[in-house]
Amino acid sequence: MDKLIITGGTRLSGELRISGAKNAALPILAATLLSTTPVSVGNIPHLHDITTTMELLGRMGVSLLVDEKMNIEVDSSTINSYEAPYELVRTMRASILVLGPLLARFGEAHVSLPGGCAIGTRPVDIHLNGLIKMGADITVEGGFIHAKVDRLKGCRLVLEQITVTGTENLLMAATLASGTTIIENAAKEPEVTDLAHFLNAMGAKITGIGTDVLVIEGVENLGVPDLHYDILPDRIETGTYLCAAAITGGKVKLKNTRPDILDAVLEKLVEAGAEITTGDDWIALDMHGKKPKAVSLRTAPYPAFPTDMQAQFIAMNCVADGVGIITETIFENRFMHVQELQRMGANIKLESNTAICTGMEKITGAPVMATDLRASASLVIAALVAEGSTLVDRIYHIDRGYDHIEEKLSQLGATIRRVPQ
Ligand code: EPU
């Protein structure tokens, strides 16, 4: 297992190019299963979760071609299995995203149940109930979801809770259903919107994109010859590097990104004392050498503050001026980074789903362990200002969602290196 060794104390500065969004790439690659013609997908990030998705599609017999620019051409005409096996689903919950497309196009899907995960129980009942309402016959046996249908039927779905992958699964399923499906209380995350645009580019008829009511008029089949689609930039990777720069009092410019989908995060960075300037596809942050001020926030579905940025802001609050109160409302167990940050000297009190962080003059490097993707990012951010060196273990979590993190941070001047086991 690789580790990262980070020596704190350098003020980050420079420019960086943001990669494509993991959480858009995963559903879009799953959605290629719906197409009768080969599809090319671009701006794909170099990540373990992408490799896992490719392995998942490959195991089903789907043909995949990757070029040197990480464009992936997917041809699902060679598919010979409709199964997502346990060993892949267990390493990546997002594998559940093949359920909707497989069922809609081939009338059959066998997907291992994801089970619990580090950040909470994360059930998939809303995905399954929606498909059942659309006429699917679903049984759960031997740890697998078995789904069958002749053709899904459009209907009105009011989601009990806002769910990102749940909305995506039902949206993909509805594109090939007979009649019209209306998804109410749909997730509006930019990644859901990107998926909807991709589906329309393949010939789907979706309206209400970007709102919480999606209307999908089912079509007979999807597929447009020579279709190429570029994934939107990763807003969470963007936010993570902005926090990394802010905690060090630094000055950075992030290119190939989208400020318009980061409002809640940018607002909190300004509150922390950052000067933010933006263009259509770039964001610059300047702390003018100052340490951040503590910020308080509450996570909630888009367009509010994203749960995927909570851990990074806790890291920033560890050394900020003042006290920051951070409340997590999406996942019940997403504070695993707190214990590790405390090992570095952070003053954080946990009260139910709230973390109260009192900024310290300094924190110190320590051996720490990555527990999930965003928790790992927060440890790396804290390490950038810690006195001495921090060794971050189990960084396979980071490699799931951050494209070449040590190279990108080195590019901004950080002292960071990967040591193989
Ligand atoms: N939920 C249910 N039943 C369901 C589905 C969800 O109760 O059937 C609950 C969950 O337990 C949770 C809440 O609804 O409490 C919201 O979860 P959601 O379904 O929106 O999460 P997700 O789709 O599993 C995606 C991202 C996560 C991100 C969340 C929230 C992908 C592949 N994953 O997960 O990303 O945190 O939405 O925005 O898109 C990450 O990138 O690090 C990550 C965890």
Side-chain angles (χ1 to χ4, degrees):
M1 250 181 272
D2 290 1
K3 298 174 173 53
L4 286 176
I5 299 176
I6 301 147
T7 306
T10 315
R11 190 165 284 169
L12 297 193
S13 75
E15 294 190 354
L16 204 65
R17 191 177 179 280
I18 294 301
S19 301
K22 167 180 84 79
N23 290 347
L26 302 180
I28 285 175
L29 287 173
T32 61
L33 288 169
L34 293 163
S35 177
T36 51
T37 52
V39 191
S40 155
V41 186
N43 202 28
I44 296 268
H46 282 266
L47 302 172
H48 270 191
D49 274 7
I50 297 296
T51 318
T52 308
T53 306
M54 289 173 66
E55 195 180 337
L56 180 62
L57 296 174
R59 291 254 204 121
M60 293 176 192
V62 171
S63 310
L64 297 141
L65 254 178
V66 188
D67 71 14
E68 70 287 351
K69 287 187 182 149
M70 273 301 274
N71 291 309
I72 304 185
E73 189 175 287
V74 190
D75 177 0
S76 62
S77 65
T78 50
I79 195 162
N80 54 31
S81 151
Y82 310 125
E83 180 176 319
Y86 178 60
E87 69 264 28
L88 293 180
V89 179
R90 136 184 108 96
T91 62
M92 191 187 70
R93 290 181 49 86
S95 310
I96 188 78
L97 286 165
V98 297
L99 177 63
L102 285 176
L103 188 61
R105 175 148 178 235
F106 305 104
E108 185 179 342
H110 309 276
V111 178
S112 172
L113 263 178
C117 81
I119 62 178
T121 49
R122 298 177 84 184
V124 290
D125 54 320
I126 300 170
H127 304 228
L128 302 189
N129 290 339
L131 294 172
I132 290 169
K133 216 166 165 207
M134 293 171 82
D137 178 11
I138 295 189
T139 53
V140 176
E141 225 179 275
F144 266 81
I145 302 161
H146 299 284
K148 270 197 174 293
V149 74
D150 283 336
R151 187 177 180 191
L152 292 166
K153 289 186 199 64
C155 65
R156 178 167 169 253
L157 300 170
V158 182
L159 306 190
E160 203 178 304
Q161 190 172 341
I162 297 175
T163 157
V164 173
T165 50
T167 302
E168 291 167 346
N169 238 335
L170 297 171
L171 176 65
M172 291 187 279
T175 57
L176 291 181
S178 63
T180 304
T181 304
I182 301 170
I183 307 178
E184 291 185 27
N185 200 27
K188 294 182 289 194
E189 267 65 7
E191 295 75 22
V192 178
T193 297
D194 206 35
L195 169 67
H197 286 308
F198 172 68
L199 291 167
N200 275 356
M202 288 201 300
K205 293 191 172 158
I206 305 167
T207 53
I209 298 175
T211 75
D212 58 3
V213 182
L214 294 167
V215 180
I216 308 108
E217 203 187 306
V219 295
E220 290 292 329
N221 50 55
L222 292 174
V224 167
D226 302 321
L227 178 65
H228 176 84
Y229 190 86
D230 282 321
I231 305 272
L232 96 161
D234 197 313
R235 66 193 164 106
I236 306 301
E237 188 197 24
T238 306
T240 301
Y241 286 111
L242 291 175
C243 285
I247 200 171
T248 66
K251 178 180 176 178
V252 293
K253 182 174 182 182
L254 305 182
K255 299 193 287 193
N256 191 41
T257 187
R258 287 260 309 267
D260 59 312
I261 54 175
L262 271 150
D263 286 333
V265 171
L266 297 183
E267 223 169 82
K268 287 293 161 189
L269 284 165
V270 169
E271 215 178 295
E275 183 192 333
I276 301 274
T277 40
T278 60
D280 282 349
D281 63 352
W282 58 267
I283 302 175
L285 171 144
D286 191 349
M287 290 297 284
H288 298 287
K290 295 201 190 93
K291 71 190 285 199
K293 292 180 221 147
V295 291
S296 296
L297 58 90
R298 192 182 172 82
T299 65
Y302 188 83
F305 191 92
T307 173
D308 289 344
M309 283 302 302
Q310 175 255 101
Q312 299 88 319
F313 271 74
I314 289 194
M316 226 166 59
N317 275 346
C318 289
V319 292
D321 271 334
V323 178
I325 298 172
I326 296 203
T327 303
E328 170 61 51
T329 74
I330 308 286
F331 294 113
E332 73 269 26
N333 187 28
R334 213 177 193 183
F335 280 133
M336 309 244 289
H337 40 290
V338 166
Q339 273 190 351
E340 299 300 301
L341 291 169
Q342 283 166 339
R343 300 189 62 250
M344 298 173 75
N347 180 352
I348 309 171
K349 279 203 191 82
L350 274 186
E351 281 177 16
S352 156
N353 65 339
T354 297
I356 303 156
C357 324
T358 307
M360 306 292 286
E361 229 8 85
K362 64 164 197 186
I363 52 173
T364 49
V368 288
M369 210 159 64
T371 48
D372 72 68
L373 174 55
R374 309 304 171 187
S376 322
S378 80
L379 300 178
V380 171
I381 289 173
L384 292 171
V385 286
E387 202 174 83
S389 289
T390 299
L391 183 140
V392 187
D393 202 350
R394 299 204 180 166
I395 58 161
Y396 55 85
H397 289 293
I398 301 191
D399 294 332
R400 286 189 44 209
Y402 288 95
D403 190 347
H404 292 96
I405 192 165
E406 70 276 23
E407 285 169 29
K408 288 192 177 187
L409 282 172
S410 299
Q411 206 177 317
L412 298 178
T415 309
I416 177 168
R417 68 192 162 91
R418 179 182 290 256
V419 282
Q421 178 73 330

